Amino acid sequence: MNNGGKISTLKKCVSFFIAFILLFTVSVKRNRAVLAASDLPVPNTAARHEICTSLSEAALAYYSGDYSYSRLSSMSGAKNLTDGYAAIQDNELYTALHTLMSETHVFYTSYSGYNKGSLAYYWKSTDAVPGSLTYIMFYSDIYGDSPSAKLNREHIWPKSRASFSTSNGGADLHHLRPSVESVNLAKSDHAFGF
């Protein structure tokens, strides 16, 4: 075999080796993505932004036994229309719901960061656009994977109007949403209006 043949064979071997490395890398990345996705809670595919007028079968199944909907709705605090504080604290309903949610809590989150266990990590599942792992930022409708969107966290009920900080209720997926930092800062602690 002449030098030209040896060089040609060597080029083919190098090309094959590079192709093998590329395929292996893609396979590893795909497997890592599958593993990461399995760490997330099951995405919520139900309709959003609708006023709740009744409980679904899944919700009715959750509220059962000592925590049945009919029993909870008859407890003190459920229908207190004159005293907002009494309606949400220091009564049977508040205590019962607190116990129920504490006993069934599965995913514990941290306020800051982007790694497993952080709000930003779980938002990709809980607030994701159907069929995607991105989410829409609160107030602005900008997608979470937009390069112009610097992530911030916004309390549905303003932090300045409550007593929680960045632990317990302050890191609860139920009342925190991803937001664009500049938009959130512009809102400040102003109340909502028309």
Side-chain angles (χ1 to χ4, degrees), residues 57-178:
E57 288 183 22
L60 286 171
Y62 178 76
Y63 295 105
S64 60
D66 289 340
Y67 303 103
S68 67
Y69 177 74
S70 59
R71 186 163 188 272
L72 291 171
S73 62
S74 67
M75 289 181 170
S76 63
K79 297 179 181 177
N80 191 322
L81 304 178
T82 58
D83 184 342
Y85 180 81
I88 61 168
Q89 291 191 4
D90 299 331
N91 60 66
E92 289 180 308
L93 178 63
Y94 178 87
T95 302
L97 289 175
H98 184 276
T99 302
L100 174 62
M101 288 187 282
S102 299
E103 289 176 352
T104 57
H105 199 149
V106 177
F107 293 96
Y108 290 86
T109 54
S110 61
Y111 183 84
S112 58
Y114 297 87
N115 296 325
K116 183 177 178 181
S118 69
L119 286 164
Y121 180 87
Y122 287 121
W123 275 329
K124 291 181 286 188
S125 180
T126 58
D127 257 11
V129 176
S132 166
L133 280 181
T134 191
Y135 43 83
I136 297 177
M137 299 287 202
F138 196 48
Y139 299 138
S140 62
D141 288 346
I142 293 173
Y143 286 103
D145 55 4
S146 168
S148 63
K150 186 173 179 186
L151 176 68
N152 193 271
R153 294 150 183 85
E154 172 65 329
H155 296 85
I156 300 301
W157 182 256
K159 181 180 170 185
S160 59
R161 312 289 185 194
S163 60
F164 47 74
S165 181
T166 56
S167 60
N168 300 322
D172 189 339
L173 281 162
H174 284 93
H175 70 266
L176 285 116
R177 291 292 179 268

